């Protein structure tokens, strides 16, 4: 497994948790969404996975470059 993929997987877990947290708070705070929480919460789960995967793949090279820049000497 490549280093970039390993970093992306670690970042995926964190971004997924944040995306889910933001989504669930919005669902529970907006009365119209809270009334349909049975449908909205699974949408938040799938949406957080869908958003976190490309976002973590985009962030991973930046994190790797930052590490290489500080440890290049």
């Amino acid at each position: 497994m490549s280093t970039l993929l390993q970093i992306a997987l670690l970042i995926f877990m964190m971004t997924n948790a944040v995306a889910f947290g933001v989504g669930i708070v919005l669902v529970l705070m907006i009365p119209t969404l809270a009334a349909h929480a049975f449908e909205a919460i699974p949408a938040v789960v799938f949406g957080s996975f869908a958003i976190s995967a490309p976002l973590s793949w985009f962030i991973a090279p930046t994190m790797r470059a930052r590490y290489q820049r500080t440890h290049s000497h």
Side-chain angles (χ1 to χ4, degrees):
M1 188 179 323
S2 71
T3 305
L4 186 63
L5 181 60
Q6 291 175 358
I7 294 169
L9 288 173
L10 289 172
I11 294 171
F12 172 77
M13 290 185 281
M14 291 180 273
T15 56
N16 187 31
V18 171
F20 176 77
V22 169
I24 201 72
V25 166
L26 289 175
V27 165
L28 295 176
M29 288 188 68
I30 299 173
T32 56
L33 291 176
H36 300 286
F38 191 71
E39 295 87 14
I41 291 175
V44 168
V45 171
F46 293 122
S48 67
F49 274 106
I51 290 170
S52 298
L55 186 61
S56 64
W57 192 250
F58 177 74
I59 294 172
T62 306
M63 299 302 288
R64 186 173 182 188
R66 184 179 299 165
Y67 176 80
Q68 288 177 344
R69 191 170 43 241
T70 60
H71 289 86
S72 63
H73 300 302

